[in-house]
């Protein structure tokens, strides 16, 4: 099948590549761009490990073709740190609250939580849980992931983070 | 899992898309949100030779009011439905049902057109569209036609869409002010398709049910209107005996497949419970 030339912006940089129409966006990101932070966990659109941010939407990149992303603006986990290289509030939250065990789901969780907090900067706990319902973690009980997102929300809003009483 | 090879097309107008689909013939498929089609392609359950991506067609987007109807462009996503004040105000049941579809990521991509055109008995929008009395606009090489949602579904993945036709919009009559509504969906976990679901839209007059419409999701190879069950409740105040009769009438037309969501008897039983719950909640909401 003839290859198609695609261009898009990924983490602020213009990128291009040659892909078959059937090349999934996640493979383009991992293989052509060599950005392997975006994970493949299920391939059935359930786990959310492949989540990237495209033009203001959280998208499972295993269920979209690279050709469909022509001209779009994409942020992956590699683009989540602050401009000066320090950890963003969410990354810091996952670290401080120990929002991970093996870390496989973490890139997808952080990228999804990034969009959630853009749309709703002060989510309640149920809103956080619904907001990350498209992301599966096989290790934890989500408790610390929720705390990590609450930590980030507090930091972004400039308020003190207080853990809810157990 | 990587799909088979195909050629990709991105027309800029409905006319171009229709022309492509008719010229390319049976091996061509429209691509909307891709969140039913791409998973099927990855499993090689679908192997289209051509995909006609509808994303470049501006005319297929947006929600507008046309008299007493809300006209929703086929490429409007479930996320956009949820963000729409117009939808939330005019037909809150659509907001409620959209929120029960899959998960946030899927809702950013999945479209109303793809959801209703897909013909998957598990999709939530079709039964809701039948309940609300919606009409689908289909455009093909020989022009446009309007098909009521109630006449659209002919079998699993088998609809009134002719080869070369595109569903361009969905027109939904705005229910009466003060109507009661509920979409009750039993699922195994957040993001799952329904084990069984029921949509109810009703109006009350003097404490009695004046009008009622009931739709059923995933309890048959097509979405269903439970007309007999709706008839049973008209003129009643939804007492326990009536609710029981309505559930029995609804169960009588159910013929679900036995699958991982449960055996036939279980799915019919919980289907009846969804009808009961939706009727009760709709009546409580009605003013
Ligand atoms: C993990 C997961 C969970 C899900 N859970 C649910 C759920 O609980 N409830 C639910 O309702 N759905 C669910 N879905 C399906 C989701 O809502 C899909 O997005 C939807 O069914 C199809 O819409 P789409 O825009 O993605 O269509 P596509 O996948 O692009 O298309 C689906 C089919 O419709 C055809 N088609 C699309 N648009 C048109 C058009 N305008 N005219 C003619 N034909 C067209 C395509 O050719 C294809 O055959 C789930 C999906 C996933 C991946
Ligand atoms: S790899 Fe994409 S959702 Fe699991
Ligand atoms: S930390 Fe291991 S899958 Fe989430």
């Amino acid at each position: 099948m003839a290859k198609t030339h695609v261009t898009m912006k990924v983490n602020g940089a213009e990128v291009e590549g040659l892909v078959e129409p059937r090349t999934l966006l996640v493979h383009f990101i991992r293989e052509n761009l060599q950005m392997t932070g975006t994970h493949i966990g299920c391939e059935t659109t359930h786990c959310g490990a492949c989540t990237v941010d495209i033009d203001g939407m959280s998208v499972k990149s295993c269920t979209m073709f690279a050709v469909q992303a022509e001209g779009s603006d994409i942020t992956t986990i590699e683009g989540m740190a602050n401009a000066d290289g320090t950890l963003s509030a969410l990354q810091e939250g996952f670290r401080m609250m120990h929002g991970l065990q093996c870390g496989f789901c973490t890139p997808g969780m952080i990228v999804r939580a990034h969009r959630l907090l853009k749309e709703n900067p002060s989510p309640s706990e149920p809103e956080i849980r619904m907001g990350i319902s498209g992301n599966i973690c096989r290790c934890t009980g989500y408790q610390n992931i929720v705390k990590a997102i609450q930590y980030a929300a507090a930091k972004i809003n400039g308020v003190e983070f207080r853990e809810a009483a157990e | 899992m990587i799909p088979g090879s195909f050629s990709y097309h991105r027309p800029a107008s409905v006319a171009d898309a229709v022309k492509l689909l008719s010229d390319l013939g049976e091996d061509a498929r429209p691509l909307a949100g891709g969140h039913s089609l791409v998973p099927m392609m990855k499993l090689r359950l679908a192997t289209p030779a051509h995909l006609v991506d509808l994303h470049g067609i501006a005319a297929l987007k947006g929600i507008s009011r046309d008299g007493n109807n809300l006209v929703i462009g086929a490429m409007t996503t479930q996320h956009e439905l949820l963000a729409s004040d117009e939808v939330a105000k005019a037909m809150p049941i659509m907001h409620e049902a959209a929120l029960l579809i899959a998960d946030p990521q899927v809702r950013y991509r999945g479209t109303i057109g793809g959801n209703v055109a897909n013909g998957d008995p598990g999709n939530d929008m079709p039964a809701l569209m039948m309940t609300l009395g919606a009409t689908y606009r289909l455009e093909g090489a020989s022009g446009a036609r309007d098909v009521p949602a109630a006449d659209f579904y002919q079998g699993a993945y088998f609809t009134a869409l002719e080869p070369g036709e595109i569903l361009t919009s969905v027109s939904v009559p705005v229910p009466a002010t003060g109507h009661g509504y509920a979409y009750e969906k039993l699922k195994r976990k957040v993001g799952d398709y329904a084990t069984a679901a029921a949509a109810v839209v009703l109006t009350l007059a003097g404490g009695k049910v004046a009008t009622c419409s009931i739709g059923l999701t995933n309890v048959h190879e097509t979405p269903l209107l439970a007309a007999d069950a709706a008839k049973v409740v008209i003129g009643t105040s939804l007492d326990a005996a009536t609710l029981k009769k309505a559930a029995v009438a609804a169960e009588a037309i159910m013929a679900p497949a036995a699958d991982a969501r449960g055996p036939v008897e279980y799915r019919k039983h919980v289907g009846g419970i969804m009808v009961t719950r939706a009727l009760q909640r709709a009546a409580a909401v009605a003013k």
Side-chain angles (χ1 to χ4, degrees), chain A residues 44-46 60, chain B residues 29-39 54 74 78 100-103 106 109-111 113-115 117-118 122-125 161 165-168 185 191-194:
Chain A
T44 56
T45 326
H46 280 95
K60 293 178 178 176
Chain B
R29 290 274 280 277
L31 173 66
H35 274 53
S36 288
L37 186 52
V38 178
L54 306 180
Q78 284 135 27
L100 293 173
I101 292 177
D103 58 54
V106 173
R109 296 288 297 171
T111 66
N115 198 291
N118 194 25
N123 280 147
D124 288 297
M125 284 294 164
L161 269 172
E165 269 184 333
I166 294 177
L167 188 152
T168 53
K185 173 175 173 178
D192 192 19
Y193 291 93

Side-chain angles (χ1 to χ4, degrees), chain B residues 4 8 42 69 74 78 80 85 150 179 193 202 204 213 217 219 236 243 248 253 276 278 283:
Chain B
Y8 175 77
K42 292 206 286 184
N69 292 315
Q78 284 135 27
E80 285 162 346
D85 286 340
H179 72 281
Y193 291 93
L202 54 71
L204 297 180
S213 174
T217 298
V219 287
T236 76
L243 284 171
V248 169
I253 60 166
T276 310

Side-chain angles (χ1 to χ4, degrees), chain A residues 100-106 137-140:
Chain A
L100 66 151
Q101 287 188 41
C102 77
F104 194 83
C105 69
T106 314
C137 175
R138 286 295 186 206
C139 297
T140 78

Side-chain angles (χ1 to χ4, degrees), chain A residues 97-117:
Chain A
M97 296 297 115
H98 202 70
L100 66 151
Q101 287 188 41
C102 77
F104 194 83
C105 69
T106 314
M109 287 286 181
I110 289 180
V111 175
R112 170 60 199 137
H114 165 77
R115 183 53 46 197
L116 171 66
L117 292 183

